[in-house]
Amino acid sequence: MDYFEYRKGELVAEDVNVSKIADEIGTPFYCYSATSIEYHFKALKKALAGLNATICYAVKANSNIAIIKTLSDMGAGADVVSSGELTRALKAGVPPNKIVFSGVGKTTDELAHALKEGILQINIESEPELIALNKIANSMGQEAQVALRINPDIDAHTHNKISTGRSEDKFGIEWTHINDVISRANKLDNIKIVGLAMHIGSQLTKLEPFKEAFTRLESLAKELRLKGYEISRLDLGGGLGISYDGLPTPTPAEYGKIVKDVFKDLNCDLLFEPGRFIVGNAGILVTQVIYVKKGATRRFLILDAAMNDLMRPCLYDAKHSIISLVEPKEDDILDRVDVVGPVCETGDTFATEIDLPAAESGDLLAIRSAGAYGAVMSSTYNSRSLIPEIIVKGNNYSIIRQRITPKTLINYESLPDWST
Ligand SMILES: *Cc1c(COP(=O)(O)O)cnc(C)c1O
């Protein structure tokens, strides 16, 4: 569900004509719809109604402060994975007592930052991290609120590179070791264990792995309570998938039902860390065709957007639907094309052998479902700019990140002293 659609033959974002924005700021750029973000947040909130639930938006999916603020204004907390993200969440107005700090390798500086800000909880992923945190908390005269992230050894059946809950993945504490770890954690003076956490992967399009993992977490929590540990909070992570191709994906209501079925007797506070589900379909990448090139065997649409702007196709073999800003007509001639960027890598390919209305140089296209893991992963490879991000609400739009050009970046470089 999103608010990008054709109206009078042209693509609009809510009530704004996308090609008008392109004329004003130039391509490529990311365009987000605030109402789409709000829609997804509300849908999830509704699905979790009746539970003692806090939705901590996973900032890494899209960390623009305007996006975080849109969600924090609706009552969302934040799940952060670095000091930088913590800074962003606070800047966007997320209250510290709704911030969770996740991640497998938090540095001592990052742990100290989290303690200083008094955030809700730090999710600990290993014993060495626990010991480091205890030491820092001690030196700061604080008690750290901690959830232990378990690795439930459940295959999320998603892309290998975004599966995080199998025993061979680097994340979490092996669930079979949790008894030992918690008993040692309990003896640390500056650590307070408040609960358990997990996150088995991203872009899950089946509910079964959630159900298996939640069930495992629930029985662990019960077992630990019987041993006298106070498990008052469970963090169920994120991972709910979205549709990139128009095929149906699990609804928030179906997801919510599983949560309720599994945890109904536990009487626990629940945290959720959705990222992609909230923002994924709320963004498009708007780009222009530079050339149409006939190769020996393929026809290429060469765009002004590239893999450095949107890594997902190259990184995860992700398929994003690509549409024209002008509504296709029934009798349009279709060309079978490869859609590629200008970067000097064969991996700089957005789609292979897809059928699009015959395009020519200067035509505008939108790469859909680019709101999550798009702008946040962009780089300046090939000395390209970081592209603008804009957000639409109703008939207004606003630039929420300006284009950052190579000229600006070169200013941070210098020649060594010995250079003449
Ligand atoms: C990435 C991540 C999330 C968000 O995942 P989505 O698939 O975007 O919902 C949540 N929690 C943790 C710990 C993560 O690493």
Side-chain angles (χ1 to χ4, degrees), residues 58 60-61 79 102 149 199 201-203 237-240 273-276 373:
K60 78 174 191 279
D79 166 45
S102 305
R149 173 168 174 184
H199 170 73
S202 194
Q203 184 53 14
L240 191 56
E273 304 170 341
R276 187 190 312 267
Y373 307 105

Side-chain angles (χ1 to χ4, degrees), residues 211-226:
K211 193 171 178 180
E212 278 180 61
F214 292 169
T215 306
R216 181 152 286 168
L217 186 71
E218 198 261 358
S219 49
L220 262 186
K222 270 192 180 147
E223 189 186 322
L224 294 173
R225 274 185 177 174
L226 281 177

Side-chain angles (χ1 to χ4, degrees), residues 55-174:
I55 300 176
C56 295
Y57 166 61
V59 167
K60 78 174 191 279
N62 188 322
S63 59
N64 190 294
I65 56 169
I67 304 289
I68 306 173
K69 171 106 181 8
T70 301
L71 287 158
S72 122
D73 284 350
M74 300 182 78
D79 166 45
V80 302
V81 295
S82 70
S83 235
E85 286 191 356
L86 176 55
T87 305
R88 286 175 176 278
L90 292 166
K91 166 120 192 184
V94 182
N97 67 3
K98 283 189 180 174
I99 299 179
V100 176
F101 202 144
S102 305
V104 72
K106 300 174 214 71
T107 64
T108 49
D109 283 351
E110 289 181 313
L111 293 170
H113 187 189
L115 289 173
K116 181 171 151 274
E117 298 295 348
I119 67 169
L120 178 71
Q121 115 188 355
I122 300 175
N123 290 355
I124 288 294
E125 302 214 16
S126 66
E127 259 190 293
E129 187 186 23
L130 193 62
I131 290 159
L133 178 61
N134 184 55
K135 200 166 147 198
I136 300 158
N138 181 275
S139 72
M140 295 172 71
Q142 286 197 30
E143 186 178 58
Q145 308 290 306
V146 163
L148 297 176
R149 173 168 174 184
I150 66 153
N151 180 322
D153 193 20
I154 301 257
D155 189 339
H157 296 290
T158 182
H159 190 277
N160 186 38
K161 288 186 182 161
I162 46 176
S163 190
T164 58
R166 303 164 299 187
S167 61
E168 65 270 32
D169 297 326
K170 70 181 174 184
F171 300 95
I173 298 165
E174 177 62 27

Side-chain angles (χ1 to χ4, degrees), residues 358-377:
E360 46 187 87
S361 169
D363 285 359
L364 295 171
L365 302 176
I367 302 178
R368 298 193 55 130
S369 311
Y373 307 105
V376 283
M377 283 191 181

Side-chain angles (χ1 to χ4, degrees), residues 328-348:
K329 296 180 199 66
E330 293 249 323
D331 56 355
D332 272 348
I333 299 166
L334 298 181
D335 277 343
R336 178 146 298 182
V337 291
D338 284 13
V339 183
V340 302
V343 160
C344 309
E345 300 267 346
T346 302
D348 183 23

